[in-house]
Amino acid sequence: MKPCVLLLGIDTPIGLAIVRELGKHGVEVHGIGRSHGALASHSRFLAAAHVRAPAEELLQQVVSLTGAPERWMLMAISEGDIAWVNAHREALRPLRCLVPSAQSMMLATDKRRTLELAAGLGIAVPRAWDIHSPDDSARVARECTFPLVLKWSDPAAVSGVLVSHGIELLKTEYCDSLPELDAALRRYAPLGQFPIVQEYCAGRGLGQFVFMHRGEPIRTFQHRRLHEWPPEGGFSTLCESLPASAHAPLMERSIALLRSMNWEGAAMVEYRYDDATGRAVLMEVNGRFWGSLPLAVHCGAGFCWLTYSVLGLGTLPVLPEPRSDLQCRFGIPDLKRLLTIVFRPERIQDRTLRFDRAAELADFFVGMVSPRMRYFVWRLDDPLPFLMDVWNGLKKIVRAGRRGA
């Protein structure tokens, strides 16, 4: 009898993708979500859904749900949940925790340290400036070319401080001039800490995915982002798989970077790749299951199954080569992107971007009938998560309309 899996985080397409992949392999998956309406709770591949207990009761909930721990494995998605699992490993024994180690995650979440390791391996990294006070904006302006991008070295570590000061956590912030940079840095002055200021890197997202085991890559896969939300850069809303022959030398450097981090399991090494120049610049190492995981699942890359089999059972399954001819769309965010480009382009922060509205419209609707297209949520063999997601979205729109009436 195969061990069961308890999955922390079934609220997003990432959790849904994990449930579907493991479920298709005959694994009994139980999930913990933020509410009864968690996205994957409606999947036919999920054995049981549970509402997450308050933080102080979560350990007891996990222990009670895995009454015979030798029959269970624990998986988690978010950086916060992975950190929680690592902090409670001893209390959770003999439950098998299939998450990266605390040491590896510390390297992955510290963008500054990751970039240092990458640069030492000959990987191109964005030029960056450490900020100590708002007055540093003038120094940066003398040394840089605008636009610039502001990013936090460890977003999770600073999120609580930002909330306490009433400041929104921005994954990326674009500054096109010295006055904009100065204003952004002064906003963070009350915190006593500042984001990293990086050079702007043109191009689109290129993700290289590797499953490392005992220092060796046992599975690789890659894709490029075609669309993102927001349009100037964020999470993927349309991506396509690439053949193994594409960017092969870069993949070797990605593997070397993960090896230097003593990585075990799946990870994404993310670059910004400029088609015009062929330059690939490292953005980050994502140590958790990534947002575009549904594409990897549709293509048969098998990272969830490998995590279960290799890290959980100690066995290496035989997998066919993943497909390299598919696209995958995150429907509602991709529609939001299209509407922004067509009707509200002034809201796009990156003012260097130019979009052909007619071409974007045509691309969206042609994709809907393309045999290559797959979706983050919709699947013909598991339709209920999509239908419930649409229904919940409609209910939110009705409630918002009533409040505004």
Side-chain angles (χ1 to χ4, degrees), residues 120-273:
L121 293 168
I123 298 173
V125 299
R127 189 180 182 192
W129 293 264
D130 287 328
I131 303 300
H132 303 288
S133 82
D135 296 333
D136 287 338
S137 58
R139 170 179 60 85
V140 173
R142 289 193 299 269
E143 300 174 2
C144 77
T145 300
F146 286 95
L148 295 171
V149 182
L150 275 60
K151 295 182 178 180
W152 291 99
S153 176
D154 187 348
V158 78
S159 60
V161 181
L162 289 169
V163 170
S164 67
H165 285 79
I167 302 174
E168 180 185 3
L169 173 61
L170 300 174
K171 183 177 181 181
T172 55
E173 182 175 0
Y174 291 80
C175 296
D176 288 283
S177 63
L178 175 56
E180 288 187 13
L181 176 62
D182 188 67
L185 296 182
R186 293 192 183 284
R187 185 190 324 129
Y188 298 118
L191 279 65
Q193 52 187 316
F194 300 88
I196 301 171
V197 176
Q198 287 185 350
E199 68 171 322
Y200 171 81
C201 298
R204 66 173 83 236
L206 169 65
Q208 295 194 319
F209 314 95
V210 186
F211 194 98
M212 297 290 293
H213 183 51
R214 297 176 180 172
E216 296 300 323
I218 60 176
R219 188 70 161 178
T220 62
F221 178 72
Q222 57 185 341
H223 78 229
R224 62 176 178 173
R225 292 180 176 185
L226 301 178
H227 297 167
E228 295 175 320
W229 176 256
E232 61 268 22
F235 59 84
S236 177
T237 62
L238 180 67
C239 48
E240 68 177 0
S241 54
L242 296 173
S245 57
H247 311 292
L250 186 63
M251 179 64 81
E252 290 301 315
R253 291 195 288 273
S254 295
I255 292 168
L257 176 58
L258 293 174
R259 188 178 285 124
S260 74
M261 299 169 72
N262 296 315
W263 199 267
E264 186 75 6
M268 175 179 77
V269 185
E270 183 179 352
Y271 298 90
R272 207 72 181 171
Y273 181 77

Side-chain angles (χ1 to χ4, degrees), residues 3-7 18 22 27-31 71-75 98 308:
C4 304
V5 165
L6 180 62
L7 175 61
I18 295 171
L22 293 180
V27 178
E28 183 180 321
V29 183
H30 296 240
R71 285 192 56 243
W72 286 84
M73 301 179 188
L74 179 63
M75 296 177 68
L98 311 186
Y308 178 90

Side-chain angles (χ1 to χ4, degrees), residues 21-86:
E21 180 168 307
L22 293 180
K24 283 205 160 191
H25 281 281
V27 178
E28 183 180 321
V29 183
H30 296 240
I32 295 180
R34 297 284 179 182
S35 71
H36 290 290
L39 185 62
S41 66
H42 305 293
S43 173
R44 72 181 183 90
F45 295 105
L46 188 73
H50 308 274
V51 177
R52 187 182 183 114
E56 63 275 10
E57 300 173 16
L58 182 58
L59 179 59
Q60 181 56 44
Q61 182 185 30
V62 171
V63 170
S64 64
L65 289 174
T66 56
E70 65 279 358
R71 285 192 56 243
W72 286 84
M73 301 179 188
L74 179 63
M75 296 177 68
I77 297 170
S78 71
E79 284 93 347
D81 281 345
I82 292 171
W84 181 90
V85 172
N86 278 318

Side-chain angles (χ1 to χ4, degrees), residues 259-320:
R259 188 178 285 124
S260 74
M261 299 169 72
N262 296 315
W263 199 267
E264 186 75 6
M268 175 179 77
V269 185
E270 183 179 352
Y271 298 90
R272 207 72 181 171
Y273 181 77
D274 189 348
D275 292 304
T277 64
R279 183 179 185 232
V281 182
L282 180 70
M283 295 290 104
E284 64 178 353
V285 171
N286 196 336
R288 60 172 177 81
F289 283 113
W290 46 94
S292 54
L293 180 66
L295 173 64
V297 172
H298 283 296
C299 290
F303 289 105
C304 311
W305 180 233
L306 284 168
T307 299
Y308 178 90
S309 301
V310 176
L311 302 186
L313 300 178
T315 62
L316 179 59
V318 178
L319 296 173

